[in-house]
Amino acid sequence: MAFSFFFRDVPALEAAAQAMVEETQGQTRVRVWVAGCAMGQEVYTLAILLAEKMNYFAFQNLTIFASDIEKDFGRIIELGEYEWGDIERIPDNYREKYFSPTGRPGVFVVSSSLRSRVTFVHHDLLTLNPVCEGASLIVCKNVLLHFQPHERIDVFRMFHRSLAEGGVLANENTQKLPDEVGHLFGQISNQSQVYRKKGVAR
C-alpha cells in the first residue's frame, strides 16, 4: 500500500522531530530512517520539519534513509518532483520555501537542500535487517498494519536494535505497540504513538 500525502499526521511528526532534535544537539552525524516511505511525501514532510528545527550546520549532518520494498519509488524520491495536487495542502510558507516550478505545467520540485539529505534504500522490513545502525529517529507509518501480529513484534524488536540510545520511534497513530515490546519503549507523547528507546531487548 503506497498511499500517503504531504503533511499527514503532522502532530506526531512534530513531536518526534522535536524529541530527536533535542536528543541530538551537538552530534556530528544524525541518522533518520523512514521505513515504508512510499513515494516520498512523508519523507519530505519530515525533512521540512527537521530543516525548520535544526540549524543550517546541524542539518548538513543529517541523513534520512527512505526505505521501501517497491524499487520504483527510489526514482520518484530522487527526482523529488510532484504535481500541484500533491503539494497544495502544504502550508504556503513551506511550499514557497522548499518547492519550485520545474517548467513543466503543474509540476514542482523539492529543493536540493532537502533532496541532498535523503537516500533511498530498497528494503524489505521482514528481512529484519535494519538499513542503518544508531538511528536517532525511526518513522514507520501505514506499513505494519499489513503485517501479521508476530511479524510486527519482530519488526519492533529490529527497530529497537537499530535505534541509538535515546532514539525516537514514531508509529502509526492507529497502531499501538504490541504488549510484547512495551518494555523496550517509553511513550513520550500522549496524543501520538511516539516513543523513546529504553531498556535492553530480551
Side-chain angles (χ1 to χ4, degrees):
M1 185 72 172
F3 175 75
S4 188
F5 52 85
F6 284 99
F7 279 71
R8 172 179 179 263
D9 195 16
V10 170
L13 292 180
E14 284 271 14
Q18 184 62 40
M20 189 217 78
V21 169
E22 292 173 359
E23 183 70 25
T24 58
Q25 287 184 359
Q27 294 185 13
T28 58
R29 185 178 70 171
V30 179
R31 294 180 169 186
V32 171
W33 177 11
V34 179
C37 63
M39 290 180 283
Q41 297 96 330
E42 189 168 63
V43 176
Y44 285 121
T45 298
L46 181 61
I48 290 171
L49 297 178
L50 290 173
E52 292 293 310
K53 294 177 181 296
M54 304 172 79
N55 65 46
Y56 172 82
F57 296 104
F59 192 67
Q60 303 312 303
N61 295 330
L62 173 70
T63 301
I64 301 176
F65 295 96
S67 74
D68 204 281
I69 197 168
E70 297 290 343
K71 288 183 179 180
D72 292 344
F73 293 157
R75 183 61 175 164
I76 297 171
I77 291 171
E78 179 183 327
L79 289 173
E81 295 182 354
Y82 299 91
E83 295 184 356
W84 171 253
D86 295 319
I87 69 170
E88 62 179 338
R89 72 175 63 232
I90 299 174
D92 292 348
N93 57 325
Y94 292 157
R95 189 174 61 245
E96 292 167 4
K97 184 174 181 179
Y98 294 107
F99 291 82
S100 58
T102 61
R104 302 198 307 280
V107 181
F108 297 78
V109 63
V110 180
S111 71
S112 60
S113 65
L114 298 187
R115 285 184 285 119
S116 65
R117 307 269 53 88
V118 176
T119 298
F120 177 79
V121 181
H122 176 237
H123 181 258
D124 180 354
L125 283 171
L126 293 180
T127 64
L128 303 180
N129 294 316
V131 303
C132 66
E133 300 289 347
S136 298
L137 170 62
I138 296 176
V139 176
C140 185
K141 293 174 170 289
N142 206 32
V143 178
L144 297 183
L145 70 165
H146 302 292
F147 289 5
Q148 296 298 314
H150 71 277
E151 294 172 333
R152 294 176 199 155
I153 292 168
D154 289 341
V155 170
F156 279 120
R157 290 186 183 278
M158 183 258 291
F159 285 159
H160 184 270
R161 294 196 307 272
S162 181
L163 283 168
E165 292 302 318
V168 177
L169 171 68
N171 187 33
E172 179 68 42
N173 268 347
T174 59
Q175 298 289 312
K176 293 186 177 181
L177 284 181
D179 292 340
E180 292 85 348
V181 295
H183 64 289
L184 300 180
F185 302 93
Q187 192 166 0
I188 61 176
S189 172
N190 292 329
Q191 288 75 42
S192 305
Q193 299 295 313
V194 179
Y195 301 85
R196 192 180 302 279
K197 175 179 176 173
K198 68 177 184 179
V200 177
R202 68 172 188 263

